[in-house]
Amino acid sequence: MLKPKLISQVLQQATTGGVKATILLNLEGSLLAFAAQSDRDARIYGALTSNIWSIYSKHVKTETGPLSFLMLECEEGKVAVSMVSTMILCLVAQEDVELGILKAKSEALTRHLEAPLSRVTGY
Amino acid sequence: MKKILLMGKSGSGKTSMRSIIFSNYIARDTRRLGATIDVEHSHVRLLGNLRLNLWDCGGQETFMENYFVSQRDHIFKNVEVLIYVFDVESRDIEKDMHYYQSCLEAIMTNSKDAKIFCLIHKMDLVQEDQRDRIYNERVLELQTRSLPLQVTTFRTSIWDETLYKAWSSIVYSLIPNVQLLESHLDNFCKICEADEIVLFERMTFLVIAHSTRIDNGDVHRFEKISNIIKQFKLSCSRTQGSFQSMEVRHANFAGFIDYLTNNTYVMVIMSDPTIQSAATQMNIAVARKHFEKLEGAQFAK
């Protein structure tokens, strides 16, 4: 089972150094846990991310296997999206954060969460 | 198969309460019920493996005499639970007591391990400020008259949640291994950081078990919810829909009611607004598998 508060704490730890929001979503786009300025921000980021993820994964699937990572460079920030177990992890950062460090953070979090979260969904 | 005797004077409300709890009647529909002739048997299946054989014994004097004389063995053998219903408005208390004591005698000789519940029924007819006093008087009298047997008493009315409270306690006393169920529920409650989790029987919506981490002031809340949800389920079925689940959320709390196993519903109450609905729903889904296994194991025994 998920311990919601504990997950929020882990996500909070990644929300430093220019990262504005760290969000864990299910594939339908509902928030499971997040660390962000406000509920509203998190919900908006979550909705956009899950939408983008589902569109991309539809197109990618056939040739190269399932989508595993997305990096988006936007006008007002950068976004890294990845898959953890059957959930989506999304990091939103300010524009001055480099893509490399964002990717590293995302990977570190994924590594940390992968095993425990797959136990929840695999049960 | 557990045999449950439902007895009491004619018109005390035995069939009405049985219809509300087990046959989805609403309180006002019970006016249509006629007097019970002799004994009506009904089979109820709770929690899949708990089969109850409910003997609703008509309370008219001729039948009563019959039960104690010619049918004595037949009626009073192998009884697991005796539920005796008293009409609080009854004019002839002495006579009620006389029948009750004959009943206890028959129980003592034929099924001495039976659990005994007394319901002081139709409490809604008593003025509100008198209820406590009258109820306490009756309980005291019943306890002295029942010696050496121990009885559990409840005040009930079909118009409020007290009926559910009484029947929940009766069903609770019948479930084998209820402590195991409770300990798993406690765990579930702790892990998903809920205030409270309540387990309901699916058909009757009687409370089976609950786990509370943060207490709520209202002691009647479970029965109120049983009552409300059951009415809601009935309205759903009138529109050809079937009740699946519901989520209620406002600034201070979120409540989820969802099916858990084939025989149970669960209600999860969260007061922490930072915990997301999807996380709780996921936890319920995970718990579902766990509790299905648990129930399967119990069933196998």
Side-chain angles (χ1 to χ4, degrees):
Chain A
M1 270 190 242
L2 289 180
K3 285 199 126 191
K5 279 196 194 139
L6 219 62
I7 296 179
S8 298
Q9 279 170 21
V10 174
L11 298 182
Q12 193 70 55
Q13 285 169 19
T15 318
T16 51
V19 176
K20 289 196 286 188
T22 310
I23 304 162
L24 192 69
L25 306 154
N26 64 17
L27 284 175
E28 283 124 44
S30 305
L31 302 182
L32 289 168
F34 64 85
Q37 288 282 320
S38 70
D39 282 27
R40 195 166 166 271
D41 283 355
R43 250 188 285 280
I44 294 170
Y45 292 147
L48 291 172
T49 308
S50 70
N51 201 353
I52 295 169
W53 182 270
S54 72
I55 291 169
Y56 266 89
S57 53
K58 259 179 221 146
H59 290 286
V60 153
K61 221 173 245 170
T62 44
E63 298 105 42
T64 52
L67 184 62
S68 63
F69 207 88
L70 264 178
M71 300 285 293
L72 309 169
E73 208 168 346
C74 309
E75 219 169 278
E76 288 181 11
K78 288 165 184 156
V79 182
V81 191
S82 64
M83 194 82 176
V84 187
S85 173
T86 56
M87 300 160 208
I88 299 171
L89 177 70
C90 163
L91 280 89
V92 183
Q94 295 163 9
E95 62 258 58
D96 57 358
V97 175
E98 296 304 329
L99 285 174
I101 185 75
L102 192 60
K103 185 162 191 284
K105 266 193 171 176
S106 176
E107 278 171 349
L109 254 185
T110 308
R111 263 201 309 280
H112 188 64
L113 291 174
E114 179 73 38
L117 288 187
S118 42
R119 279 187 56 201
V120 173
T121 50
Y123 186 91
Chain B
M1 191 76 118
K2 294 182 190 251
K3 178 169 163 185
I4 299 180
L5 281 187
L6 190 56
M7 298 194 100
K9 202 174 64 103
S10 172
S12 57
K14 301 174 290 301
T15 310
S16 297
M17 61 170 72
R18 180 185 62 129
S19 306
I20 290 175
I21 300 287
F22 298 106
S23 318
N24 292 330
Y25 272 59
I26 57 172
R28 89 178 113 82
D29 285 348
T30 58
R31 294 201 182 117
R32 295 206 301 258
L33 293 165
T36 307
I37 305 299
D38 208 19
V39 183
E40 273 180 21
H41 301 265
S42 48
H43 294 260
V44 185
R45 210 172 150 151
L46 297 179
L47 290 169
N49 58 345
L50 184 64
R51 269 184 239 153
L52 307 183
N53 191 1
L54 202 64
W55 294 40
D56 181 2
C57 306
Q60 288 170 28
E61 281 178 34
T62 40
F63 302 137
M64 283 300 235
E65 300 295 341
N66 230 336
Y67 303 148
F68 296 130
V69 186
S70 58
Q71 292 181 295
R72 195 180 179 97
D73 276 5
H74 175 61
I75 299 268
F76 293 101
K77 224 170 188 104
N78 300 322
V79 176
E80 298 251 359
V81 175
L82 167 71
I83 302 168
Y84 206 96
V85 184
F86 291 92
D87 180 352
V88 71
E89 289 266 275
S90 170
R91 300 267 165 261
D92 201 352
I93 298 177
E94 261 321 300
K95 198 163 191 181
D96 292 355
M97 285 297 171
H98 168 71
Y99 278 132
Y100 173 62
Q101 284 183 312
S102 321
C103 197
L104 286 186
E105 252 170 57
I107 283 282
M108 268 212 283
T109 48
N110 288 294
S111 4
K112 58 177 172 32
D113 294 326
K115 298 190 185 90
I116 297 162
F117 294 91
C118 291
L119 310 186
I120 315 288
H121 198 46
K122 304 193 185 175
M123 285 303 282
D124 54 290
L125 297 176
V126 180
Q127 276 183 13
E128 209 152 350
D129 50 335
Q130 309 261 335
R131 281 180 198 168
D132 285 331
R133 187 179 58 80
I134 292 185
Y135 175 69
N136 289 335
E137 274 172 24
R138 293 290 169 89
V139 168
L140 214 65
E141 184 169 6
L142 275 175
Q143 276 167 347
T144 45
R145 297 245 193 174
S146 310
L147 288 170
L149 294 168
Q150 290 298 316
V151 294
T152 315
T153 51
F154 292 99
R155 56 165 102 183
T156 54
S157 157
I158 56 170
W159 300 99
D160 58 29
E161 72 283 350
T162 51
L163 186 66
Y164 283 88
K165 189 176 182 59
W167 279 90
S168 289
S169 314
I170 293 168
V171 168
Y172 179 89
S173 75
L174 289 170
I175 301 171
N177 252 335
V178 74
Q179 287 81 8
L180 181 75
L181 209 60
E182 276 176 336
S183 70
H184 283 268
L185 216 56
D186 278 338
N187 251 341
F188 179 18
C189 191
K190 211 159 56 200
I191 295 172
C192 74
E193 288 154 62
D195 286 20
E196 185 159 64
I197 295 185
V198 190
L199 200 65
F200 296 99
E201 203 280 324
R202 191 173 183 134
M203 187 187 66
T204 55
F205 246 88
L206 295 172
V207 178
I208 297 169
H210 70 98
S211 164
T212 309
R213 287 198 323 141
I214 299 171
D215 209 17
N216 178 304
D218 187 356
V219 288
H220 301 300
R221 60 193 182 281
F222 303 147
E223 292 78 29
K224 283 180 184 162
I225 288 163
S226 294
N227 210 344
I228 293 167
I229 297 296
K230 207 162 169 197
Q231 305 260 355
F232 182 69
K233 267 176 76 179
L234 284 176
S235 343
C236 286
S237 61
R238 265 199 289 271
T239 58
Q240 248 97 64
S242 69
F243 176 73
Q244 257 277 303
S245 66
M246 69 156 77
E247 178 183 338
V248 182
R249 179 178 276 274
H250 80 32
N252 301 327
F253 90 106
F256 303 79
I257 297 178
D258 207 335
Y259 79 93
L260 190 66
T261 64
N262 284 329
N263 308 300
T264 52
Y265 271 98
V266 71
M267 178 175 77
V268 181
I269 301 295
M270 315 279 267
S271 65
D272 186 339
T274 62
I275 296 174
Q276 300 299 310
S277 300
T280 307
Q281 271 157 359
M282 191 166 186
N283 278 338
I284 294 176
V286 174
R288 190 170 289 147
K289 286 177 194 149
H290 180 72
F291 277 88
E292 264 162 11
K293 262 190 208 161
L294 195 72
E295 214 175 81
Q298 256 184 333
F299 194 55
K301 278 178 212 161

